[in-house]
Amino acid sequence: MADHDSVYHKIFGHPGMVSQLLRDFLAKPWLDDLDLDRMERLNAKFHAETGERREGDMIWRIPRRGGGDTYLMLLLEFQSTPDRWMALRALVYVGLLWQHLVREKHLPPDGRLPPVLPVVVYNGDPRWAMPLALRELVGLPADTPLWRYQPDMRYHIVDEGAFSEDDLAARDTLAALLFRLEASPDPERVVALADAILAWFGRHPGFDGLRPLFAELLGGLMGPPASGVRVPEELLEVRNMLATRAEEWKRQWLQEGLEKGRAEGLTEGLMKGEAALLLRQLERRFGALPTEVRDRVAAADTAALEAWGLRVLDAGSLEDVLR
């Protein structure tokens, strides 16, 4: 998981990838005011006495066409469960960013704080249903004047698993292909997506810097390499290796399924034999058996059948056997 997260951070460290994410999964009219083609990553590491920005979170400075900058705070959330306090975390991170800009004297000419856009990308299994606004976390009546003194913060959530396969397939972006890859454990689908990713790169030559990262991400899906086996760095080679590995997985799963079926069939056959033997013994000792007794014996597990088989020799009645 650590290596996967590292590759993910590198992928979203590419400005073209971030630009696609915003255009495709934020899609707000006011995005037209942001010059996404000129965004620059801010390599700031700032700290405070009460907290610090996480190493994996990314900050991008995006020029506005009308002048000034907007800062994108991109939070990649790889936790297994959604974080109820994300709005509060976003407030802390934005405060740290503003403190850094003030300290480094990177404010606009008017001396005011620049706007910040917090975006959370989440790839956990449970759907994200946490408050998107800090206001929802503050315990105040709706009509109290204290609201004017409370900080306000809202973030935009991109919940990868909330998009259907059809929805993502209709989007011709690398971000959509990445989300489909994250949700496709089936080897054959992974190979098909690898083909789609190769075709996408063929149509978009300006993204060649991302090819080795997607090769690394796809290579990680094959599991730890065997001793002496090198996972290739070229995307096409990884795709071909995945196709070969997918065939091996299918054969392995088929064999495991056959062996499991044989074992289950053998167990079921033994249980049926024990049940039939017990019914014959009960009939020999107690005569014709009621339907409910036959049903109970047929549904019993191995332990019950063995216990009843031992009792049938000494029990004085049918009830004593099945007690």
Side-chain angles (χ1 to χ4, degrees), residues 191-211:
V191 174
L193 283 171
D195 289 335
I197 291 169
L198 278 165
W200 193 93
F201 278 120
R203 299 192 305 270
H204 303 83
F207 290 80
D208 288 343
L210 285 168
R211 290 177 69 101

Side-chain angles (χ1 to χ4, degrees), residues 53-123:
R53 184 177 66 85
R54 298 182 307 175
E55 194 70 25
D57 300 329
M58 287 175 279
I59 299 172
W60 295 85
R61 184 184 64 82
I62 308 176
R64 295 198 304 275
R65 302 187 192 281
D69 296 322
T70 291
Y71 286 83
L72 167 67
M73 181 164 285
L74 188 61
L75 312 177
L76 301 182
E77 190 67 8
F78 295 113
Q79 305 300 323
S80 58
T81 56
D83 184 0
R84 168 177 169 78
W85 303 104
M86 179 56 72
L88 176 59
R89 284 170 52 192
L91 175 68
V92 173
Y93 297 155
V94 169
L96 292 173
L97 170 61
W98 278 337
Q99 285 182 342
H100 170 80
L101 295 176
V102 170
R103 184 170 57 250
E104 298 297 321
K105 296 181 173 55
H106 288 162
L107 298 178
D110 60 10
R112 295 193 293 177
L113 297 173
V116 180
L117 170 62
V119 175
V120 176
V121 179
Y122 166 71
N123 70 345

Side-chain angles (χ1 to χ4, degrees), residues 24-230:
D24 212 16
F25 294 95
L26 196 59
K28 301 295 185 182
W30 44 262
L31 278 177
D32 293 338
D33 184 50
L34 303 182
D35 192 349
L36 299 179
D37 295 330
R38 293 199 297 136
M39 68 167 59
E40 294 179 353
R41 185 171 176 183
L42 182 65
N43 294 316
K45 296 181 181 179
F46 37 77
H47 307 272
E49 294 179 359
T50 57
E52 64 180 46
R53 184 177 66 85
R54 298 182 307 175
E55 194 70 25
D57 300 329
M58 287 175 279
I59 299 172
W60 295 85
R61 184 184 64 82
I62 308 176
R64 295 198 304 275
R65 302 187 192 281
D69 296 322
T70 291
Y71 286 83
L72 167 67
M73 181 164 285
L74 188 61
L75 312 177
L76 301 182
E77 190 67 8
F78 295 113
Q79 305 300 323
S80 58
T81 56
D83 184 0
R84 168 177 169 78
W85 303 104
M86 179 56 72
L88 176 59
R89 284 170 52 192
L91 175 68
V92 173
Y93 297 155
V94 169
L96 292 173
L97 170 61
W98 278 337
Q99 285 182 342
H100 170 80
L101 295 176
V102 170
R103 184 170 57 250
E104 298 297 321
K105 296 181 173 55
H106 288 162
L107 298 178
D110 60 10
R112 295 193 293 177
L113 297 173
V116 180
L117 170 62
V119 175
V120 176
V121 179
Y122 166 71
N123 70 345
D125 286 333
R127 299 285 58 81
W128 191 279
M130 296 301 154
L132 301 181
L134 185 63
R135 183 183 183 92
E136 300 174 55
L137 299 175
V138 179
L140 277 179
D143 56 351
T144 177
L146 283 175
W147 277 116
R148 71 183 64 182
Y149 303 108
Q150 306 308 306
D152 196 7
M153 171 58 61
R154 174 176 289 273
Y155 62 92
H156 180 82
I157 182 70
V158 180
D159 183 356
E160 296 181 15
F163 300 94
S164 68
E165 168 65 18
D166 290 341
D167 182 352
L168 294 174
R171 302 169 185 257
D172 185 30
T173 61
L174 198 55
L177 285 169
L178 175 63
F179 295 171
R180 292 173 66 192
L181 190 63
E182 290 284 285
S184 298
D186 181 80
E188 290 186 348
R189 290 188 62 194
V190 169
V191 174
L193 283 171
D195 289 335
I197 291 169
L198 278 165
W200 193 93
F201 278 120
R203 299 192 305 270
H204 303 83
F207 290 80
D208 288 343
L210 285 168
R211 290 177 69 101
L213 294 177
F214 271 83
E216 185 176 352
L217 188 65
L218 284 166
L221 297 178
M222 293 186 288
S227 178
V229 176
R230 181 188 66 86

